[in-house]
């Protein structure tokens, strides 16, 4: 019997193994627990290890994708409940915060190697109760809740301020004054591709009046800067490559915190992102993914994953069958109205100017308007959708996309996906979904309003009970 067949067979006992990392006197160690007495085999990793049968309950683990399929997946804090005895009470004082927790599922007669990892998380805290100990944890998205920028100036005019980071092609950014006496500004904390324009109050500065150090990310003026100093910059150039696309930028940002990103299908639009504050990495990833119609998550094995959303996947890897549904548990949850008009912002202006040189208004009024606005926009409409659906909606979104061509391509893609109402259903299934991932395509034995294919958007699972609440979109 394969693991998949075992999961799909009702009535079998599901054994849960829990591995909890903790720090003891500066050394990383692991505690082993289970829902039934279990000892790993000599060929397992770890070998000849007893998993203490102290797991009582908990393990309700919920993750979901936004219905617009952009940005992060979300999760709720889960817990593992252990019996409170001297062999577990030590956890109340253990150093477990931020440490990994791994949860496996299988048959207690199997060797550990045949168990499958169903949850990977990071421990939040331990809560002692009257008769139990609760280990609270979340998925690994918590590790991304840290600022992208951490390096600060230690002297000069910007002493104590965060050093900026410019990625892709950014229009009209404000560089950071770091030496007032020498008129030196920093526009990037890493090497850059190019500086294509420099302005004082919107008026273009002649290249003869400044010197750019692309390696240091600085600009030095030989004239006194007047008013608001802004620049157009082609940002980070790492190992000889200019980082412009979502795939390049996400991979770079993740590498800064030691995470390897598995990225697939994201469009190759040119983007621009300029960071100067304590923006968290998760928020930056949200902004990037939301710009290109992508989403990110950590899979069951803790792999950071980014995917493009282009509707129901061509290949369906999951099967939502009637015999696995709990009786009368399938029901519609939401109807998502279609779009008849979409306005998409692009070419973000990173420093909208209140004070613009009079000569700009006189000679190039379109440029003056551009310098004062937050971004350019494209609008696409579908009168036929409004005629067919009276509740069709309009939507305005801002993106990091740079070019008009890419903005129109993304607007067209979104309009095509939203040309008809979409539906979200919920069902409760037995253990089979414990092998599925968010974003997987699913085949429905009983079709929904939009047919027999769907995409999984939510998994609320409990390995102990073998029941999973599944939401799917079509």
């Amino acid at each position: 019997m394969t693991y998949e067949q075992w999961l799909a067979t009702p009535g079998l006992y599901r054994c849960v193994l829990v591995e909890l990392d903790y720090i003891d006197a500066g050394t990383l160690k692991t505690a082993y627990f289970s829902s039934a007495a279990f000892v790993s085999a000599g060929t397992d990793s770890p070998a000849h290890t007893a998993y203490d049968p102290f797991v009582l309950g908990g393990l309700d683990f919920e993750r979901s994708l936004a219905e617009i399929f952009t940005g992060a997946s979300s999760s709720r804090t889960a817990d593992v409940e252990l019996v409170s005895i001297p062999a577990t009470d030590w956890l109340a004082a253990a150093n477990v915060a931020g440490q990994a927790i791994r949860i496996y599922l299988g048959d207690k007669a199997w060797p550990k190697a045949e168990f499958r990892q169903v949850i990977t998380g990071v421990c939040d805290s331990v809560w002692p109760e009257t008769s139990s100990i609760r280990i609270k944890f979340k998925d690994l998205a918590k590790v991304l809740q840290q600022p992208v920028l951490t390096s600060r100036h230690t002297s000069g005019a910007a002493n104590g301020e965060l050093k900026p980071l410019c990625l892709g092609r950014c229009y009209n950014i404000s560089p950071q004054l770091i030496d007032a006496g020498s008129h030196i500004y920093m526009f990037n904390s890493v090497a850059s591709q190019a500086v294509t324009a420099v302005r004082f109050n919107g008026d273009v500065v002649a290249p003869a009046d400044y010197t750019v150090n692309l390696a240091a990310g600085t600009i030095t003026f030989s004239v006194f800067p007047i008013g608001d100093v802004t620049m157009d910059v082609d940002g980070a150039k790492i190992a000889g490559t200019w980082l412009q696309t979502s795939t390049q930028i996400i991979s770079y940002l993740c590498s800064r915190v030691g995470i390897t990103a598995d990225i697939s299908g994201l469009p190759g639009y040119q983007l621009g992102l300029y960071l100067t504050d304590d923006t968290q990495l998760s928020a930056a990833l949200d902004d990037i993914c939301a710009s290109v119609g992508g989403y990110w998550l950590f899979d069951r094995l803790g792999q950071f994953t980014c995917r493009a959303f282009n509707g129901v996947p061509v290949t369906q890897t999951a099967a939502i069958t009637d015999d696995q549904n709990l009786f009368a548990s399938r029901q519609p949850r939401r109807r998502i109205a279609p779009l008849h008009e979409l306005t998409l912002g692009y070419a973000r202006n990173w420093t909208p100017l209140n004070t613009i040189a009079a000569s700009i208004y006189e000679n190039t009024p379109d440029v003056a308007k551009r310098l004062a606005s937050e971004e350019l926009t494209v609008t696409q409409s579908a009168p036929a959708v409004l005629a067919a659906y009276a509740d069709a909606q309009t939507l305005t979104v801002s993106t990091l996309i740079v070019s008009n061509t890419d903005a129109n391509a993304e607007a067209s893609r979104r309009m095509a996906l939203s040309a008809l109402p979409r539906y979200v259903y919920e069902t409760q299934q037995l253990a089979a979904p414990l092998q599925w991932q968010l974003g997987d395509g699913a085949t429905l034995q009983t079709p929904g309003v939009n047919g027999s294919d769907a995409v999984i958007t939510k998994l609320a699972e409990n390995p102990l009970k073998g029941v999973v609440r599944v939401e799917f979109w079509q």
Side-chain angles (χ1 to χ4, degrees):
M1 180 185 295
T2 66
Y3 180 79
E4 289 74 18
Q5 292 170 331
W6 178 81
L7 275 180
T9 303
L12 297 180
Y13 180 76
R14 318 290 182 183
C15 180
V16 172
L17 305 181
V18 177
E19 296 180 354
L20 172 65
D21 291 346
Y22 64 98
I23 303 296
D24 182 19
T27 301
L28 180 65
K29 297 182 179 180
T30 303
Y32 300 93
F33 305 105
S34 65
S35 59
F38 181 84
V39 179
S40 62
T43 55
D44 286 331
S45 178
H48 301 300
T49 299
Y51 287 71
D52 296 322
F54 301 150
V55 176
L56 290 178
L59 288 175
D60 290 307
F61 191 58
E62 181 178 309
R63 297 178 299 151
S64 61
L65 293 175
E67 291 167 358
I68 57 173
F69 296 95
T70 54
S73 60
S74 61
S75 65
R76 292 185 178 180
T77 300
D79 61 60
V80 178
E81 184 182 5
L82 306 177
V83 62
S84 179
I85 58 176
T88 59
D89 288 345
W90 64 272
L91 285 167
N95 184 0
V96 299
Q99 302 305 311
I101 184 169
R102 298 169 295 279
I103 298 171
Y104 302 83
L105 187 67
D107 193 291
K108 63 181 180 180
W110 294 351
K112 163 75 183 311
E114 294 185 14
F115 279 65
R116 295 285 183 89
Q117 190 167 339
V118 293
I119 296 174
T120 302
V122 58
C123 191
D124 198 39
S125 60
V126 175
W127 287 76
E129 297 180 350
T130 302
S131 59
S132 64
I133 297 285
R134 291 189 181 273
I135 304 168
K136 295 184 177 291
F137 66 92
K138 296 189 71 172
D139 77 358
L140 294 181
K142 184 175 181 179
V143 305
L144 301 180
Q145 294 173 2
Q146 57 180 298
V148 177
L149 305 182
T150 56
S151 180
R152 296 180 181 272
H153 295 281
T154 57
S155 62
N159 185 33
E161 295 182 21
L162 290 165
K163 296 180 179 179
L165 179 63
C166 183
L167 299 163
R169 172 162 286 170
C170 292
Y171 174 76
N172 211 43
I173 68 172
S174 294
Q176 188 179 59
L177 178 63
I178 59 174
D179 187 333
S182 299
H183 311 315
I184 302 175
Y185 292 73
M186 173 177 280
F187 57 86
N188 208 352
S189 54
V190 298
S192 298
Q193 172 73 11
V195 170
T196 56
V198 181
R199 305 179 186 87
F200 294 162
N201 281 344
D203 198 7
V204 175
V205 181
D209 293 332
Y210 60 83
T211 302
V212 174
N213 185 334
L214 291 176
T218 61
I219 182 170
T220 303
F221 292 99
S222 57
V223 296
F224 192 86
I226 300 173
D228 292 322
V229 178
T230 58
M231 309 170 62
D232 295 348
V233 177
D234 291 346
K237 184 176 183 180
I238 307 298
T241 299
W242 177 26
L243 308 182
Q244 307 175 65
T245 68
S246 57
T247 297
Q248 292 173 321
I249 294 173
I250 290 171
S251 296
Y252 170 68
L253 290 176
C254 288
S255 71
R256 286 168 64 106
V257 294
I259 293 175
T260 300
D262 175 17
I263 304 174
S264 176
L266 297 185
Y269 306 147
Q270 186 182 60
L271 305 183
L273 175 63
Y274 188 52
L275 298 173
T276 60
D277 56 18
D278 58 357
T279 298
Q280 291 192 336
L281 178 54
S282 58
L285 294 172
D286 282 351
D287 206 1
I288 297 166
C289 286
S291 297
V292 300
Y295 60 90
W296 63 265
L297 55 86
F298 282 89
D299 68 16
R300 292 191 183 278
L301 300 179
Q303 171 66 55
F304 177 81
T305 303
C306 286
R307 294 288 183 265
F309 180 72
N310 294 302
V312 176
V314 174
T315 302
Q316 281 68 49
T317 56
I320 299 179
T321 59
D322 295 340
D323 63 336
Q324 283 283 312
N325 286 335
L326 294 186
F327 179 73
S329 66
R330 175 166 159 173
Q331 56 185 319
R333 297 285 293 173
R334 286 175 293 283
R335 178 185 183 274
I336 304 172
L339 288 181
H340 75 89
E341 183 175 281
L342 172 65
T343 299
L344 189 144
Y346 72 99
R348 185 175 295 178
N349 180 359
W350 292 93
T351 313
L353 298 176
N354 295 317
T355 302
I356 300 175
S359 60
I360 305 298
Y361 279 111
E362 294 171 1
N363 301 323
T364 53
D366 288 343
V367 173
K369 181 179 179 182
R370 171 76 180 99
L371 290 169
S373 65
E374 294 186 354
E375 59 188 2
L376 301 177
T377 61
V378 296
T379 299
Q380 295 192 11
S381 59
V385 172
L386 183 59
Y389 304 103
D391 65 339
Q393 299 177 335
T394 63
L395 181 66
T396 300
V397 297
S398 178
T399 74
L400 300 175
I401 294 173
V402 172
S403 78
N404 176 272
T405 298
D406 288 345
N408 272 298
E410 178 60 17
S412 296
R413 189 190 69 83
R414 298 189 189 198
M415 288 292 288
L417 286 174
S418 304
L420 72 162
R422 297 296 183 175
Y423 296 86
V424 177
Y425 293 84
E426 176 186 276
T427 186
Q428 292 187 57
Q429 286 231 319
L430 299 176
L434 287 164
Q435 61 188 309
W436 299 346
Q437 303 276 12
L438 293 177
D440 281 354
T443 300
L444 310 176
Q445 183 175 352
T446 298
V449 174
N450 288 337
S452 298
D453 295 334
V455 58
I456 295 169
T457 59
K458 184 175 183 178
L459 294 168
E461 50 200 24
N462 188 306
L464 280 174
K465 298 176 182 177
V467 176
V468 183
R469 190 168 76 255
V470 181
E471 283 191 5
F472 54 91
W473 176 102
Q474 59 166 200

